[in-house]
Amino acid sequence: MKPTIRVRFALVCALVTAVACGAFLAVLHVAARRYLPEMLHSAEEDVYWNLPAYDRIRRAALSRLLVFGAAGVTVVSLVAAGLGWLLAGWALRPLRRVTESARRVAQSHDLTERIGLDGPREDATELAGIFDGMLARLARSFDGQRRFVANASHELRTPLSINQTLVDVAVRNPAASEDLRRLGESLLLVNARHERLIDGLLTLAEGERTVLDRSPLDLRDVAEHALDRSQEEAGTKDVTVHRLLDGAPTAGNAILLERLVQNLVDNGLRHNRAGGELWVTTRRRDDRIELLVANTGLPVPAYEVQSIFDPFRRLHGDRLGSDRGSGLGLSIVRAIAEAHGGRVAASPRAEGGLTVTVELPAHGD
């Protein structure tokens, strides 16, 4: 495992200090060997001429010099390593600020986050400035994309509304022939599908924005409401709905979360078989809440599971012009979940059908 910059800086400080102190100790040892005889001679004349005593004193002095010197080098090197560790932490503080900001942006998808590092112009402040500029450009790019989708969808609503009114008036005309009425009804169905598509694009553009203004709610209540609204469709398709709803407190935008649950319920009913089943579960798991929607239906290949969250992606060869939705349902689910700090995953059921799991942060105790 490669050591961090802080550890390497501390080791370099310790190494440089040890080399410098070792060189000083070597010079001191050479000087002691050179000048120790003269010092002993000037101090005690008789000792100088007593060679055995002189050798013992000389060896003992040089040995103690090496021992105490080595101990001193070790202590000073350890102190230098500690000081290097502290200085590296102080010097790398701006980089940690950049890292924390980047992590917050990655987790929250909030491109309005800025580092705003002040100080003299140096590498850290220049890096922070470049990072802030990159976030600003990304924010402008995403905002421009969302505005384009919203504006285009809004502009498309007007001619669709006009078409619907004209066709509806023509169909209701008593003088209209039977062929004209059938044609008008077909055009109304096409018009309704286009309106669902535009509504899906608007919701997708809105759902990709991070939800900052959140209100506490219980996802169980949202699921109850969505199932009540879909009760008639479930009865028409003879689908048995199982409600396994426990408390699931969270915080978020109630309208978007309602759309998330409704899309999953509609998807579970739409891609079901006659006489099939639908299971909707809400529960709390530690600091997360879960929403599980499982249904019976055709087998789903495991390699196609992740692609179902892409916009306009269909399974089993469904065409965009069919009556099975706009192809944006699960894309909207993923966008809303990620905007609330959550995640979504899908897994195929062995008996056929799909299980979609949404995890969101829990709120409250």
Side-chain angles (χ1 to χ4, degrees):
M1 181 177 177
K2 191 175 181 179
T4 62
I5 296 178
R6 193 173 184 182
V7 173
R8 281 181 284 174
F9 186 80
L11 293 177
V12 168
C13 290
L15 180 62
V16 171
T17 302
V19 171
C21 291
F24 177 75
L25 181 61
V27 173
L28 187 63
H29 186 267
V30 172
R33 295 187 61 181
R34 170 66 180 82
Y35 296 106
L36 187 59
E38 296 181 2
M39 295 171 59
L40 293 175
H41 175 70
S42 60
E44 299 185 23
E45 188 74 21
D46 55 343
V47 175
Y48 178 75
W49 295 109
N50 189 353
L51 294 179
Y54 162 74
D55 288 339
R56 285 195 302 272
I57 294 174
R58 179 174 175 272
R59 284 195 297 269
L62 293 176
S63 177
R64 290 183 180 180
L65 177 63
L66 289 177
V67 171
F68 288 110
V73 169
T74 302
V75 172
V76 173
S77 298
L78 292 176
V79 172
L83 292 175
W85 173 270
L86 295 177
L87 290 175
W90 175 79
L92 294 174
R93 190 186 308 168
L95 293 181
R96 286 200 300 271
R97 186 172 172 180
V98 174
T99 303
E100 292 171 359
S101 299
R103 184 180 295 111
R104 285 196 300 270
V105 171
Q107 293 175 350
S108 66
H109 304 277
D110 182 13
L111 296 179
T112 61
E113 178 80 22
R114 295 292 182 271
I115 301 174
L117 187 63
D118 298 326
R121 186 174 181 81
E122 55 186 6
D123 292 341
T125 54
E126 187 174 354
L127 176 62
I130 293 174
F131 187 80
D132 286 344
M134 179 186 66
L135 287 179
R137 288 192 295 272
L138 285 174
R140 288 195 297 269
S141 175
F142 280 103
D143 287 341
Q145 182 182 12
R146 294 189 188 103
R147 283 196 300 270
F148 172 78
V149 173
N151 292 336
S153 301
H154 177 74
E155 292 297 327
L156 288 173
R157 284 182 181 274
T158 301
L160 286 177
S161 299
I162 296 174
N163 290 342
Q164 182 177 359
T165 302
L166 294 175
V167 173
D168 191 57
V169 170
V171 170
R172 294 177 183 275
N173 189 348
S177 63
E178 188 63 27
D179 291 339
L180 181 61
R181 286 194 177 93
R182 284 198 297 268
L183 177 60
E185 291 173 355
S186 299
L187 291 176
L188 287 175
L189 289 176
V190 173
N191 202 79
R193 283 196 293 268
H194 290 166
E195 286 185 344
R196 288 199 302 269
L197 175 60
I198 293 172
D199 184 62
L201 289 173
L202 283 171
T203 306
L204 184 60
E206 182 67 24
E208 288 180 342
R209 300 184 181 182
T210 301
V211 178
L212 301 178
D213 186 13
R214 306 187 183 189
S215 302
L217 55 89
D218 196 328
L219 204 63
R220 174 178 56 184
D221 300 334
V222 180
E224 286 275 10
H225 179 67
L227 290 172
D228 291 341
R229 292 179 57 183
S230 303
Q231 190 171 0
E232 182 178 352
E233 182 180 358
T236 302
K237 295 191 174 182
D238 193 23
V239 175
T240 302
V241 178
H242 303 277
R243 305 190 183 198
L244 310 173
L245 306 177
D246 294 329
T250 186
N253 185 295
I255 297 176
L256 291 179
L257 290 178
E258 181 181 347
R259 182 61 182 269
L260 179 149
V261 179
Q262 192 67 58
N263 279 10
L264 289 178
V265 172
D266 291 345
N267 189 77
L269 292 173
R270 188 176 297 122
H271 298 278
N272 215 316
R273 56 178 172 80
E277 296 179 273
L278 175 70
W279 296 268
V280 179
T281 305
T282 59
R283 62 194 179 192
R284 177 167 183 171
R285 292 290 180 88
D286 298 327
D287 60 341
R288 312 286 289 181
I289 64 153
E290 291 182 344
L291 168 68
L292 290 87
V293 179
N295 70 317
T296 54
L298 295 176
V300 179
Y303 59 85
E304 289 191 358
V305 168
Q306 290 304 318
S307 64
I308 64 176
F309 294 102
D310 297 335
F312 307 110
R313 182 67 173 88
R314 299 296 191 92
L315 295 178
H316 308 126
D318 289 342
R319 298 184 59 184
L320 290 178
S322 70
D323 62 350
R324 308 186 73 174
S326 62
L328 292 172
L330 292 180
S331 300
I332 293 173
V333 168
R334 182 176 62 179
I336 294 175
E338 292 178 352
H340 286 80
R343 57 179 178 266
V344 60
S347 59
R349 300 179 69 248
E351 305 84 358
L354 199 66
T355 299
V356 180
T357 303
V358 177
E359 290 188 2
L360 297 173
H363 178 75
D365 298 330

